Amino acid sequence: MQKIFFSSLALIAFIFFGCSTKEDTKPAAVETKKESKTAETKPTLPPQKATEAEVKKALADAEAKYEEAKKQKVAWRYTHKRIADAKNAMSKGEYDKALKLAQEAYYESDQAIIQSQEAELTWKNATPQAILGIKD
Amino acid sequence: MLKMVFKSAIITALSLNLALAAKEKKEQFNKQAEKDRIAMQKYYLLKFSDPLKKSAHFFPYVDTEDIRKNYIFPVKLEDFAKGVAAWYKPTRDQLAEFAEMPPYLLAVEEGEALWKKPFANGKTYNDCFGSPAVLDKYPYFDTQRNEVITIDQAVNECRVANGEKPYTYGKEDLEKIIGYMAMQSRGKKINVKIPSKEAAEAYERGKKNFYKQRGYFYLSCAECHVEGSGASIRAEKLSTTLGAVTHFPVYRIKNERLLTLQERLAGCWEDTGALRPKEASNELKEIEYFLYYMSNGFKLDGPDTRK
């Protein structure tokens, strides 16, 4: 009987202390999670190779080239989006990303103008006269 | 007396000569366009005369079994107005089923109501156009303004002239009114004219923009709808340029509404990977002018259903 009493007492004590220990640790675990979450949303930027001045220049060049392509009615479909993304990245201090996007936007408009110059010389090859070999 | 008669005869002959020369000169503005139109007809008649025999030249990427089973040939000139249904059996059957209960009828009815509804000043579209059956007069080149005028533009200009706001593309009212006008214009023949040097230049610009490659795909309208016409794009067949404008505005199943030619052209331009031009911009209006000229003589048959 005494044996049963002591063993149930030990069991109660185990449950009690066991639970209380768990309760103590719970807030700490939540805190750690919170900390890691904050670290996720606000990542520290790796050191940027590009400078703000470089990005600004690349953006100005990209915008000027895009306007030139637009004026000639040959601009590509998403170039303006790349320029907007580059500006957005620059405002966040992501200079490397912004520089890459601005350079891509410049390249697109440049290609659009070059291809248009080429198409200006070749479009007649697609006419029925050219396909059938009829002389104008 | 004899001297007087002689003098007046010379003057009459000279002025007649001058008038004839001027007329001849006026008619020459469409000289190149006529050459283009005839070449376009020759090309399509030849291409669809026997696609099986000519598959290596005209249909290099089409399965010959598909041609054997599904292509209808030879295609008569006037049948090109039917679009893909003129030469492809599955499409012909599908469109025949759609024709039993055309999906555009409701839009046309609504277009009629809009047509008849007076503006705030009491006038109606009839005061601008005289009748809804005028699509055979569009597009035309306005020699005073030196620009191509499309039917969409004319509807909106009529609204503005009567103190109303112009319609926006894609909001359907414009498309519905043109749908109603197209229905009333059925059977009339396309008769686009090139009345001046400026009109001929606009035609040439439209032609160039139709054939010129652009965008990051480096494609042109013609690549799909001249050389590529008759071939497959995914599960569909590419339509021909000849006769393509006859059935506009079209009820496009993909969009579930009527679309004007301006909207389709803007979409086609964008599909090449280029920046979408605005509907009713000079570039698109001039392409429309070129396309209608290519289909001169074809009967209007809009609106119709397309996939």
Side-chain angles (χ1 to χ4, degrees), chain A residues 72-74 116 120 123, chain B residues 202-214 219-222 265 268-269 272 282-288 290:
Chain A
Q72 293 180 32
K73 316 272 181 195
V74 297
S116 171
E120 200 73 33
W123 67 267
Chain B
Y203 165 87
E204 284 297 328
R205 282 194 298 271
K207 180 171 91 178
K208 188 165 86 176
N209 272 327
F210 181 79
Y211 288 109
K212 195 178 156 187
Q213 291 159 305
R214 62 174 60 82
L219 281 172
S220 67
C221 309
L265 290 176
C268 188
W269 187 295
T272 64
N282 274 337
E283 296 77 53
L284 295 187
K285 286 196 300 179
E286 286 166 0
I287 293 181
E288 184 166 333
F290 161 74

PDB file of all heavy atoms in Angstrom, chain A residues 72-74 116 120 123, chain B residues 202-214 219-222 265 268-269 272 282-288 290:
ATOM      1  N   GLN A  72      10.602  55.467 -82.711  1.00  0.00           N
ATOM      2  CA  GLN A  72      10.646  54.770 -84.008  1.00  0.00           C
ATOM      3  C   GLN A  72       9.581  53.682 -84.111  1.00  0.00           C
ATOM      4  O   GLN A  72       9.545  52.939 -85.106  1.00  0.00           O
ATOM      5  CB  GLN A  72      12.027  54.147 -84.204  1.00  0.00           C
ATOM      6  CG  GLN A  72      13.120  55.162 -84.360  1.00  0.00           C
ATOM      7  CD  GLN A  72      14.479  54.496 -84.557  1.00  0.00           C
ATOM      8  OE1 GLN A  72      14.606  53.423 -85.122  1.00  0.00           O
ATOM      9  NE2 GLN A  72      15.518  55.140 -84.068  1.00  0.00           N
ATOM     10  N   LYS A  73       8.746  53.536 -83.064  1.00  0.00           N
ATOM     11  CA  LYS A  73       7.660  52.542 -83.003  1.00  0.00           C
ATOM     12  C   LYS A  73       8.198  51.114 -83.075  1.00  0.00           C
ATOM     13  O   LYS A  73       7.603  50.245 -83.713  1.00  0.00           O
ATOM     14  CB  LYS A  73       6.647  52.747 -84.140  1.00  0.00           C
ATOM     15  CG  LYS A  73       6.244  54.181 -84.397  1.00  0.00           C
ATOM     16  CD  LYS A  73       5.101  54.586 -83.551  1.00  0.00           C
ATOM     17  CE  LYS A  73       4.680  56.005 -83.824  1.00  0.00           C
ATOM     18  NZ  LYS A  73       3.817  56.562 -82.830  1.00  0.00           N
ATOM     19  N   VAL A  74       9.354  50.895 -82.473  1.00  0.00           N
ATOM     20  CA  VAL A  74       9.929  49.552 -82.533  1.00  0.00           C
ATOM     21  C   VAL A  74      10.237  48.989 -81.138  1.00  0.00           C
ATOM     22  O   VAL A  74      10.858  47.929 -81.028  1.00  0.00           O
ATOM     23  CB  VAL A  74      11.216  49.523 -83.402  1.00  0.00           C
ATOM     24  CG1 VAL A  74      10.907  49.893 -84.837  1.00  0.00           C
ATOM     25  CG2 VAL A  74      12.297  50.438 -82.832  1.00  0.00           C
ATOM     26  N   SER A 116      15.127  46.652 -86.412  1.00  0.00           N
ATOM     27  CA  SER A 116      14.231  47.424 -87.265  1.00  0.00           C
ATOM     28  C   SER A 116      14.964  47.910 -88.510  1.00  0.00           C
ATOM     29  O   SER A 116      14.404  47.924 -89.610  1.00  0.00           O
ATOM     30  CB  SER A 116      13.683  48.615 -86.485  1.00  0.00           C
ATOM     31  OG  SER A 116      12.996  49.456 -87.343  1.00  0.00           O
ATOM     32  N   GLU A 120      13.945  46.813 -92.233  1.00  0.00           N
ATOM     33  CA  GLU A 120      13.677  47.852 -93.238  1.00  0.00           C
ATOM     34  C   GLU A 120      14.212  47.423 -94.610  1.00  0.00           C
ATOM     35  O   GLU A 120      13.648  47.778 -95.636  1.00  0.00           O
ATOM     36  CB  GLU A 120      14.390  49.141 -92.769  1.00  0.00           C
ATOM     37  CG  GLU A 120      13.897  50.423 -93.355  1.00  0.00           C
ATOM     38  CD  GLU A 120      12.539  50.862 -92.809  1.00  0.00           C
ATOM     39  OE1 GLU A 120      12.240  50.600 -91.626  1.00  0.00           O
ATOM     40  OE2 GLU A 120      11.804  51.454 -93.584  1.00  0.00           O
ATOM     41  N   TRP A 123      11.953  43.493 -95.525  1.00  0.00           N
ATOM     42  CA  TRP A 123      10.515  43.198 -95.456  1.00  0.00           C
ATOM     43  C   TRP A 123       9.910  42.844 -96.804  1.00  0.00           C
ATOM     44  O   TRP A 123       8.968  42.048 -96.886  1.00  0.00           O
ATOM     45  CB  TRP A 123       9.744  44.359 -94.813  1.00  0.00           C
ATOM     46  CG  TRP A 123       9.694  45.647 -95.605  1.00  0.00           C
ATOM     47  CD1 TRP A 123      10.548  46.696 -95.497  1.00  0.00           C
ATOM     48  CD2 TRP A 123       8.742  46.017 -96.610  1.00  0.00           C
ATOM     49  NE1 TRP A 123      10.194  47.697 -96.372  1.00  0.00           N
ATOM     50  CE2 TRP A 123       9.086  47.309 -97.069  1.00  0.00           C
ATOM     51  CE3 TRP A 123       7.633  45.394 -97.164  1.00  0.00           C
ATOM     52  CZ2 TRP A 123       8.366  47.973 -98.049  1.00  0.00           C
ATOM     53  CZ3 TRP A 123       6.905  46.053 -98.142  1.00  0.00           C
ATOM     54  CH2 TRP A 123       7.275  47.328 -98.578  1.00  0.00           C
TER      55      TRP A 123
ATOM     56  N   ALA B 202       0.330  56.532 -97.398  1.00  0.00           N
ATOM     57  CA  ALA B 202      -0.261  55.874 -96.223  1.00  0.00           C
ATOM     58  C   ALA B 202      -0.430  54.388 -96.488  1.00  0.00           C
ATOM     59  O   ALA B 202      -0.156  53.551 -95.614  1.00  0.00           O
ATOM     60  CB  ALA B 202      -1.616  56.505 -95.893  1.00  0.00           C
ATOM     61  N   TYR B 203      -0.848  54.049 -97.703  1.00  0.00           N
ATOM     62  CA  TYR B 203      -1.005  52.647 -98.100  1.00  0.00           C
ATOM     63  C   TYR B 203       0.351  51.929 -98.009  1.00  0.00           C
ATOM     64  O   TYR B 203       0.449  50.837 -97.459  1.00  0.00           O
ATOM     65  CB  TYR B 203      -1.570  52.564 -99.526  1.00  0.00           C
ATOM     66  CG  TYR B 203      -1.429  51.192-100.139  1.00  0.00           C
ATOM     67  CD1 TYR B 203      -2.405  50.221 -99.943  1.00  0.00           C
ATOM     68  CD2 TYR B 203      -0.301  50.856-100.892  1.00  0.00           C
ATOM     69  CE1 TYR B 203      -2.255  48.951-100.477  1.00  0.00           C
ATOM     70  CE2 TYR B 203      -0.145  49.593-101.435  1.00  0.00           C
ATOM     71  CZ  TYR B 203      -1.120  48.647-101.230  1.00  0.00           C
ATOM     72  OH  TYR B 203      -0.957  47.390-101.751  1.00  0.00           O
ATOM     73  N   GLU B 204       1.378  52.577 -98.537  1.00  0.00           N
ATOM     74  CA  GLU B 204       2.723  51.970 -98.531  1.00  0.00           C
ATOM     75  C   GLU B 204       3.238  51.758 -97.107  1.00  0.00           C
ATOM     76  O   GLU B 204       3.860  50.749 -96.813  1.00  0.00           O
ATOM     77  CB  GLU B 204       3.716  52.833 -99.335  1.00  0.00           C
ATOM     78  CG  GLU B 204       3.562  52.712-100.838  1.00  0.00           C
ATOM     79  CD  GLU B 204       3.836  51.315-101.387  1.00  0.00           C
ATOM     80  OE1 GLU B 204       4.679  50.602-100.826  1.00  0.00           O
ATOM     81  OE2 GLU B 204       3.190  50.931-102.373  1.00  0.00           O
ATOM     82  N   ARG B 205       2.968  52.735 -96.243  1.00  0.00           N
ATOM     83  CA  ARG B 205       3.404  52.585 -94.834  1.00  0.00           C
ATOM     84  C   ARG B 205       2.660  51.419 -94.183  1.00  0.00           C
ATOM     85  O   ARG B 205       3.243  50.638 -93.438  1.00  0.00           O
ATOM     86  CB  ARG B 205       3.141  53.878 -94.053  1.00  0.00           C
ATOM     87  CG  ARG B 205       4.158  54.978 -94.308  1.00  0.00           C
ATOM     88  CD  ARG B 205       4.030  56.080 -93.267  1.00  0.00           C
ATOM     89  NE  ARG B 205       2.730  56.734 -93.310  1.00  0.00           N
ATOM     90  CZ  ARG B 205       2.424  57.789 -94.068  1.00  0.00           C
ATOM     91  NH1 ARG B 205       3.346  58.319 -94.845  1.00  0.00           N
ATOM     92  NH2 ARG B 205       1.215  58.325 -94.028  1.00  0.00           N
ATOM     93  N   GLY B 206       1.363  51.336 -94.477  1.00  0.00           N
ATOM     94  CA  GLY B 206       0.563  50.237 -93.925  1.00  0.00           C
ATOM     95  C   GLY B 206       1.076  48.899 -94.403  1.00  0.00           C
ATOM     96  O   GLY B 206       1.210  47.951 -93.624  1.00  0.00           O
ATOM     97  N   LYS B 207       1.418  48.849 -95.693  1.00  0.00           N
ATOM     98  CA  LYS B 207       1.944  47.607 -96.283  1.00  0.00           C
ATOM     99  C   LYS B 207       3.262  47.219 -95.605  1.00  0.00           C
ATOM    100  O   LYS B 207       3.457  46.079 -95.210  1.00  0.00           O
ATOM    101  CB  LYS B 207       2.156  47.828 -97.790  1.00  0.00           C
ATOM    102  CG  LYS B 207       2.692  46.625 -98.518  1.00  0.00           C
ATOM    103  CD  LYS B 207       2.672  46.836-100.015  1.00  0.00           C
ATOM    104  CE  LYS B 207       3.952  47.427-100.536  1.00  0.00           C
ATOM    105  NZ  LYS B 207       3.981  47.592-101.996  1.00  0.00           N
ATOM    106  N   LYS B 208       4.136  48.213 -95.473  1.00  0.00           N
ATOM    107  CA  LYS B 208       5.443  47.934 -94.859  1.00  0.00           C
ATOM    108  C   LYS B 208       5.279  47.429 -93.424  1.00  0.00           C
ATOM    109  O   LYS B 208       5.901  46.453 -93.032  1.00  0.00           O
ATOM    110  CB  LYS B 208       6.311  49.194 -94.882  1.00  0.00           C
ATOM    111  CG  LYS B 208       7.741  48.907 -94.448  1.00  0.00           C
ATOM    112  CD  LYS B 208       8.666  50.028 -94.795  1.00  0.00           C
ATOM    113  CE  LYS B 208       8.649  51.061 -93.706  1.00  0.00           C
ATOM    114  NZ  LYS B 208       9.622  52.143 -93.965  1.00  0.00           N
ATOM    115  N   ASN B 209       4.390  48.079 -92.671  1.00  0.00           N
ATOM    116  CA  ASN B 209       4.194  47.654 -91.283  1.00  0.00           C
ATOM    117  C   ASN B 209       3.575  46.273 -91.187  1.00  0.00           C
ATOM    118  O   ASN B 209       3.733  45.587 -90.184  1.00  0.00           O
ATOM    119  CB  ASN B 209       3.322  48.671 -90.528  1.00  0.00           C
ATOM    120  CG  ASN B 209       4.158  49.768 -89.931  1.00  0.00           C
ATOM    121  OD1 ASN B 209       5.297  49.548 -89.524  1.00  0.00           O
ATOM    122  ND2 ASN B 209       3.613  50.973 -89.880  1.00  0.00           N
ATOM    123  N   PHE B 210       2.879  45.864 -92.226  1.00  0.00           N
ATOM    124  CA  PHE B 210       2.295  44.525 -92.251  1.00  0.00           C
ATOM    125  C   PHE B 210       3.367  43.463 -92.491  1.00  0.00           C
ATOM    126  O   PHE B 210       3.336  42.394 -91.915  1.00  0.00           O
ATOM    127  CB  PHE B 210       1.220  44.460 -93.342  1.00  0.00           C
ATOM    128  CG  PHE B 210       0.538  43.128 -93.447  1.00  0.00           C
ATOM    129  CD1 PHE B 210      -0.454  42.761 -92.552  1.00  0.00           C
ATOM    130  CD2 PHE B 210       0.880  42.231 -94.457  1.00  0.00           C
ATOM    131  CE1 PHE B 210      -1.090  41.529 -92.644  1.00  0.00           C
ATOM    132  CE2 PHE B 210       0.246  41.003 -94.554  1.00  0.00           C
ATOM    133  CZ  PHE B 210      -0.729  40.654 -93.651  1.00  0.00           C
ATOM    134  N   TYR B 211       4.337  43.807 -93.343  1.00  0.00           N
ATOM    135  CA  TYR B 211       5.373  42.830 -93.715  1.00  0.00           C
ATOM    136  C   TYR B 211       6.640  42.913 -92.859  1.00  0.00           C
ATOM    137  O   TYR B 211       7.451  42.004 -92.875  1.00  0.00           O
ATOM    138  CB  TYR B 211       5.767  43.019 -95.186  1.00  0.00           C
ATOM    139  CG  TYR B 211       4.703  42.560 -96.157  1.00  0.00           C
ATOM    140  CD1 TYR B 211       3.962  43.463 -96.906  1.00  0.00           C
ATOM    141  CD2 TYR B 211       4.430  41.204 -96.328  1.00  0.00           C
ATOM    142  CE1 TYR B 211       2.987  43.046 -97.799  1.00  0.00           C
ATOM    143  CE2 TYR B 211       3.455  40.770 -97.208  1.00  0.00           C
ATOM    144  CZ  TYR B 211       2.734  41.701 -97.945  1.00  0.00           C
ATOM    145  OH  TYR B 211       1.770  41.272 -98.812  1.00  0.00           O
ATOM    146  N   LYS B 212       6.790  44.010 -92.154  1.00  0.00           N
ATOM    147  CA  LYS B 212       8.048  44.237 -91.421  1.00  0.00           C
ATOM    148  C   LYS B 212       8.080  43.479 -90.087  1.00  0.00           C
ATOM    149  O   LYS B 212       7.131  43.546 -89.308  1.00  0.00           O
ATOM    150  CB  LYS B 212       8.209  45.737 -91.180  1.00  0.00           C
ATOM    151  CG  LYS B 212       9.581  46.151 -90.772  1.00  0.00           C
ATOM    152  CD  LYS B 212       9.655  47.660 -90.609  1.00  0.00           C
ATOM    153  CE  LYS B 212      10.781  47.999 -89.680  1.00  0.00           C
ATOM    154  NZ  LYS B 212      10.818  49.411 -89.345  1.00  0.00           N
ATOM    155  N   GLN B 213       9.224  42.807 -89.872  1.00  0.00           N
ATOM    156  CA  GLN B 213       9.368  42.048 -88.624  1.00  0.00           C
ATOM    157  C   GLN B 213       9.678  42.980 -87.454  1.00  0.00           C
ATOM    158  O   GLN B 213      10.354  43.991 -87.639  1.00  0.00           O
ATOM    159  CB  GLN B 213      10.501  41.036 -88.771  1.00  0.00           C
ATOM    160  CG  GLN B 213      10.169  39.920 -89.731  1.00  0.00           C
ATOM    161  CD  GLN B 213      11.407  39.244 -90.241  1.00  0.00           C
ATOM    162  OE1 GLN B 213      12.294  39.897 -90.782  1.00  0.00           O
ATOM    163  NE2 GLN B 213      11.484  37.946 -90.094  1.00  0.00           N
ATOM    164  N   ARG B 214       9.200  42.586 -86.274  1.00  0.00           N
ATOM    165  CA  ARG B 214       9.425  43.411 -85.088  1.00  0.00           C
ATOM    166  C   ARG B 214       9.307  42.555 -83.817  1.00  0.00           C
ATOM    167  O   ARG B 214       8.969  41.379 -83.890  1.00  0.00           O
ATOM    168  CB  ARG B 214       8.421  44.554 -85.024  1.00  0.00           C
ATOM    169  CG  ARG B 214       6.973  44.116 -84.909  1.00  0.00           C
ATOM    170  CD  ARG B 214       6.055  45.280 -84.705  1.00  0.00           C
ATOM    171  NE  ARG B 214       6.143  46.202 -85.823  1.00  0.00           N
ATOM    172  CZ  ARG B 214       5.497  46.045 -86.988  1.00  0.00           C
ATOM    173  NH1 ARG B 214       4.731  44.991 -87.156  1.00  0.00           N
ATOM    174  NH2 ARG B 214       5.608  46.905 -87.957  1.00  0.00           N
ATOM    175  N   LEU B 219       8.941  38.904 -85.509  1.00  0.00           N
ATOM    176  CA  LEU B 219       7.870  38.403 -86.375  1.00  0.00           C
ATOM    177  C   LEU B 219       7.160  39.560 -87.054  1.00  0.00           C
ATOM    178  O   LEU B 219       7.200  40.691 -86.577  1.00  0.00           O
ATOM    179  CB  LEU B 219       6.840  37.644 -85.536  1.00  0.00           C
ATOM    180  CG  LEU B 219       7.155  36.214 -85.113  1.00  0.00           C
ATOM    181  CD1 LEU B 219       6.112  35.729 -84.133  1.00  0.00           C
ATOM    182  CD2 LEU B 219       7.205  35.291 -86.318  1.00  0.00           C
ATOM    183  N   SER B 220       6.457  39.233 -88.130  1.00  0.00           N
ATOM    184  CA  SER B 220       5.605  40.249 -88.772  1.00  0.00           C
ATOM    185  C   SER B 220       4.203  39.651 -88.898  1.00  0.00           C
ATOM    186  O   SER B 220       4.021  38.440 -88.743  1.00  0.00           O
ATOM    187  CB  SER B 220       6.137  40.574 -90.146  1.00  0.00           C
ATOM    188  OG  SER B 220       5.993  39.454 -90.995  1.00  0.00           O
ATOM    189  N   CYS B 221       3.231  40.513 -89.201  1.00  0.00           N
ATOM    190  CA  CYS B 221       1.860  40.024 -89.404  1.00  0.00           C
ATOM    191  C   CYS B 221       1.875  39.007 -90.552  1.00  0.00           C
ATOM    192  O   CYS B 221       1.220  37.966 -90.503  1.00  0.00           O
ATOM    193  CB  CYS B 221       0.922  41.162 -89.783  1.00  0.00           C
ATOM    194  SG  CYS B 221       0.973  42.579 -88.695  1.00  0.00           S
ATOM    195  N   ALA B 222       2.653  39.358 -91.615  1.00  0.00           N
ATOM    196  CA  ALA B 222       2.677  38.548 -92.830  1.00  0.00           C
ATOM    197  C   ALA B 222       3.269  37.164 -92.601  1.00  0.00           C
ATOM    198  O   ALA B 222       2.889  36.203 -93.272  1.00  0.00           O
ATOM    199  CB  ALA B 222       3.472  39.267 -93.901  1.00  0.00           C
ATOM    200  N   LEU B 265      -5.574  43.920 -84.652  1.00  0.00           N
ATOM    201  CA  LEU B 265      -4.270  44.325 -85.182  1.00  0.00           C
ATOM    202  C   LEU B 265      -3.319  44.687 -84.044  1.00  0.00           C
ATOM    203  O   LEU B 265      -2.140  44.328 -84.068  1.00  0.00           O
ATOM    204  CB  LEU B 265      -4.416  45.503 -86.148  1.00  0.00           C
ATOM    205  CG  LEU B 265      -5.095  45.204 -87.489  1.00  0.00           C
ATOM    206  CD1 LEU B 265      -5.255  46.487 -88.300  1.00  0.00           C
ATOM    207  CD2 LEU B 265      -4.301  44.194 -88.301  1.00  0.00           C
ATOM    208  N   CYS B 268      -2.151  41.516 -82.545  1.00  0.00           N
ATOM    209  CA  CYS B 268      -1.206  40.828 -83.429  1.00  0.00           C
ATOM    210  C   CYS B 268       0.181  41.471 -83.307  1.00  0.00           C
ATOM    211  O   CYS B 268       1.196  40.792 -83.195  1.00  0.00           O
ATOM    212  CB  CYS B 268      -1.720  40.924 -84.855  1.00  0.00           C
ATOM    213  SG  CYS B 268      -0.808  39.951 -86.040  1.00  0.00           S
ATOM    214  N   TRP B 269       0.183  42.797 -83.297  1.00  0.00           N
ATOM    215  CA  TRP B 269       1.433  43.565 -83.164  1.00  0.00           C
ATOM    216  C   TRP B 269       2.128  43.197 -81.848  1.00  0.00           C
ATOM    217  O   TRP B 269       3.329  42.940 -81.793  1.00  0.00           O
ATOM    218  CB  TRP B 269       1.074  45.054 -83.200  1.00  0.00           C
ATOM    219  CG  TRP B 269       2.206  46.029 -83.236  1.00  0.00           C
ATOM    220  CD1 TRP B 269       3.133  46.236 -82.255  1.00  0.00           C
ATOM    221  CD2 TRP B 269       2.521  46.971 -84.286  1.00  0.00           C
ATOM    222  NE1 TRP B 269       3.996  47.240 -82.627  1.00  0.00           N
ATOM    223  CE2 TRP B 269       3.643  47.706 -83.856  1.00  0.00           C
ATOM    224  CE3 TRP B 269       1.956  47.273 -85.521  1.00  0.00           C
ATOM    225  CZ2 TRP B 269       4.210  48.723 -84.633  1.00  0.00           C
ATOM    226  CZ3 TRP B 269       2.528  48.282 -86.291  1.00  0.00           C
ATOM    227  CH2 TRP B 269       3.633  48.983 -85.848  1.00  0.00           C
ATOM    228  N   THR B 272       4.027  39.832 -81.441  1.00  0.00           N
ATOM    229  CA  THR B 272       5.375  39.706 -82.007  1.00  0.00           C
ATOM    230  C   THR B 272       6.444  40.001 -80.933  1.00  0.00           C
ATOM    231  O   THR B 272       7.626  39.829 -81.178  1.00  0.00           O
ATOM    232  CB  THR B 272       5.593  40.696 -83.170  1.00  0.00           C
ATOM    233  OG1 THR B 272       5.515  42.027 -82.647  1.00  0.00           O
ATOM    234  CG2 THR B 272       4.573  40.523 -84.265  1.00  0.00           C
ATOM    235  N   ASN B 282      -2.075  55.877 -86.084  1.00  0.00           N
ATOM    236  CA  ASN B 282      -1.849  55.934 -87.533  1.00  0.00           C
ATOM    237  C   ASN B 282      -1.303  54.624 -88.084  1.00  0.00           C
ATOM    238  O   ASN B 282      -1.698  54.183 -89.156  1.00  0.00           O
ATOM    239  CB  ASN B 282      -0.891  57.078 -87.874  1.00  0.00           C
ATOM    240  CG  ASN B 282      -1.655  58.382 -88.026  1.00  0.00           C
ATOM    241  OD1 ASN B 282      -2.856  58.379 -88.289  1.00  0.00           O
ATOM    242  ND2 ASN B 282      -0.972  59.493 -87.841  1.00  0.00           N
ATOM    243  N   GLU B 283      -0.404  53.982 -87.331  1.00  0.00           N
ATOM    244  CA  GLU B 283       0.214  52.735 -87.818  1.00  0.00           C
ATOM    245  C   GLU B 283      -0.865  51.682 -88.077  1.00  0.00           C
ATOM    246  O   GLU B 283      -0.883  51.036 -89.115  1.00  0.00           O
ATOM    247  CB  GLU B 283       1.205  52.158 -86.792  1.00  0.00           C
ATOM    248  CG  GLU B 283       2.401  53.007 -86.489  1.00  0.00           C
ATOM    249  CD  GLU B 283       2.084  54.165 -85.578  1.00  0.00           C
ATOM    250  OE1 GLU B 283       1.507  53.934 -84.506  1.00  0.00           O
ATOM    251  OE2 GLU B 283       2.391  55.298 -85.957  1.00  0.00           O
ATOM    252  N   LEU B 284      -1.751  51.515 -87.091  1.00  0.00           N
ATOM    253  CA  LEU B 284      -2.776  50.471 -87.232  1.00  0.00           C
ATOM    254  C   LEU B 284      -3.831  50.845 -88.269  1.00  0.00           C
ATOM    255  O   LEU B 284      -4.316  49.992 -89.003  1.00  0.00           O
ATOM    256  CB  LEU B 284      -3.436  50.184 -85.879  1.00  0.00           C
ATOM    257  CG  LEU B 284      -2.523  49.585 -84.806  1.00  0.00           C
ATOM    258  CD1 LEU B 284      -3.318  49.192 -83.576  1.00  0.00           C
ATOM    259  CD2 LEU B 284      -1.769  48.364 -85.315  1.00  0.00           C
ATOM    260  N   LYS B 285      -4.161  52.123 -88.332  1.00  0.00           N
ATOM    261  CA  LYS B 285      -5.166  52.544 -89.325  1.00  0.00           C
ATOM    262  C   LYS B 285      -4.626  52.311 -90.741  1.00  0.00           C
ATOM    263  O   LYS B 285      -5.357  51.907 -91.637  1.00  0.00           O
ATOM    264  CB  LYS B 285      -5.512  54.024 -89.138  1.00  0.00           C
ATOM    265  CG  LYS B 285      -6.383  54.273 -87.908  1.00  0.00           C
ATOM    266  CD  LYS B 285      -7.033  55.628 -87.932  1.00  0.00           C
ATOM    267  CE  LYS B 285      -6.045  56.755 -87.974  1.00  0.00           C
ATOM    268  NZ  LYS B 285      -6.671  58.071 -88.022  1.00  0.00           N
ATOM    269  N   GLU B 286      -3.319  52.543 -90.911  1.00  0.00           N
ATOM    270  CA  GLU B 286      -2.732  52.361 -92.237  1.00  0.00           C
ATOM    271  C   GLU B 286      -2.622  50.882 -92.610  1.00  0.00           C
ATOM    272  O   GLU B 286      -2.772  50.521 -93.783  1.00  0.00           O
ATOM    273  CB  GLU B 286      -1.374  53.071 -92.311  1.00  0.00           C
ATOM    274  CG  GLU B 286      -1.565  54.579 -92.392  1.00  0.00           C
ATOM    275  CD  GLU B 286      -0.317  55.404 -92.143  1.00  0.00           C
ATOM    276  OE1 GLU B 286       0.768  54.828 -91.884  1.00  0.00           O
ATOM    277  OE2 GLU B 286      -0.418  56.647 -92.205  1.00  0.00           O
ATOM    278  N   ILE B 287      -2.397  50.025 -91.597  1.00  0.00           N
ATOM    279  CA  ILE B 287      -2.403  48.576 -91.884  1.00  0.00           C
ATOM    280  C   ILE B 287      -3.823  48.169 -92.311  1.00  0.00           C
ATOM    281  O   ILE B 287      -4.009  47.413 -93.262  1.00  0.00           O
ATOM    282  CB  ILE B 287      -1.938  47.747 -90.661  1.00  0.00           C
ATOM    283  CG1 ILE B 287      -0.462  48.007 -90.355  1.00  0.00           C
ATOM    284  CG2 ILE B 287      -2.145  46.262 -90.917  1.00  0.00           C
ATOM    285  CD1 ILE B 287       0.089  47.229 -89.179  1.00  0.00           C
ATOM    286  N   GLU B 288      -4.810  48.708 -91.610  1.00  0.00           N
ATOM    287  CA  GLU B 288      -6.210  48.411 -91.948  1.00  0.00           C
ATOM    288  C   GLU B 288      -6.516  48.849 -93.390  1.00  0.00           C
ATOM    289  O   GLU B 288      -7.179  48.132 -94.144  1.00  0.00           O
ATOM    290  CB  GLU B 288      -7.146  49.111 -90.948  1.00  0.00           C
ATOM    291  CG  GLU B 288      -8.603  48.762 -91.182  1.00  0.00           C
ATOM    292  CD  GLU B 288      -9.528  49.158 -90.043  1.00  0.00           C
ATOM    293  OE1 GLU B 288      -9.071  49.229 -88.884  1.00  0.00           O
ATOM    294  OE2 GLU B 288     -10.715  49.390 -90.311  1.00  0.00           O
ATOM    295  N   PHE B 290      -4.422  49.122 -95.867  1.00  0.00           N
ATOM    296  CA  PHE B 290      -3.753  48.172 -96.760  1.00  0.00           C
ATOM    297  C   PHE B 290      -4.554  46.866 -96.855  1.00  0.00           C
ATOM    298  O   PHE B 290      -4.803  46.350 -97.947  1.00  0.00           O
ATOM    299  CB  PHE B 290      -2.326  47.899 -96.251  1.00  0.00           C
ATOM    300  CG  PHE B 290      -1.714  46.647 -96.790  1.00  0.00           C
ATOM    301  CD1 PHE B 290      -1.278  46.583 -98.112  1.00  0.00           C
ATOM    302  CD2 PHE B 290      -1.581  45.512 -96.001  1.00  0.00           C
ATOM    303  CE1 PHE B 290      -0.723  45.412 -98.622  1.00  0.00           C
ATOM    304  CE2 PHE B 290      -1.032  44.339 -96.503  1.00  0.00           C
ATOM    305  CZ  PHE B 290      -0.603  44.289 -97.817  1.00  0.00           C
TER     306      PHE B 290
END
